[in-house]
Amino acid sequence: MSDDTLTDLGHILGRDVTSLSSSIARLTAKSKGNADLAERMKQLKENLIDFATSQA
């Protein structure tokens, strides 16, 4: 959703790239079997997109 890399995001959040990548993979896998989680992730993505476009 941005030009930032996982490395950049890791620096911002104070997390290791590997832990971010693992978290993304776990959440993606969980969301496939959990409609509520999938919807929450979709809403979060939409909110982040809206925020990013309002800042531009």
Side-chain angles (χ1 to χ4, degrees):
M1 295 186 313
S2 75
D3 294 333
D4 294 329
T5 64
L6 275 181
T7 302
D8 296 333
L9 187 57
H11 287 292
I12 292 167
L13 298 174
R15 300 286 183 208
D16 181 73
V17 174
T18 305
S19 66
L20 290 176
S21 182
S22 296
S23 297
I24 292 166
R26 277 195 313 274
L27 280 171
T28 301
K30 273 187 166 182
S31 72
K32 292 181 184 198
N34 184 328
D36 182 51
L37 178 59
E39 181 61 27
R40 290 172 65 192
M41 289 173 64
K42 178 183 170 195
Q43 288 296 318
L44 177 59
K45 182 177 181 179
E46 290 172 0
N47 291 343
L48 289 170
I49 290 169
D50 289 345
F51 177 76
T53 56
S54 71
Q55 297 298 309

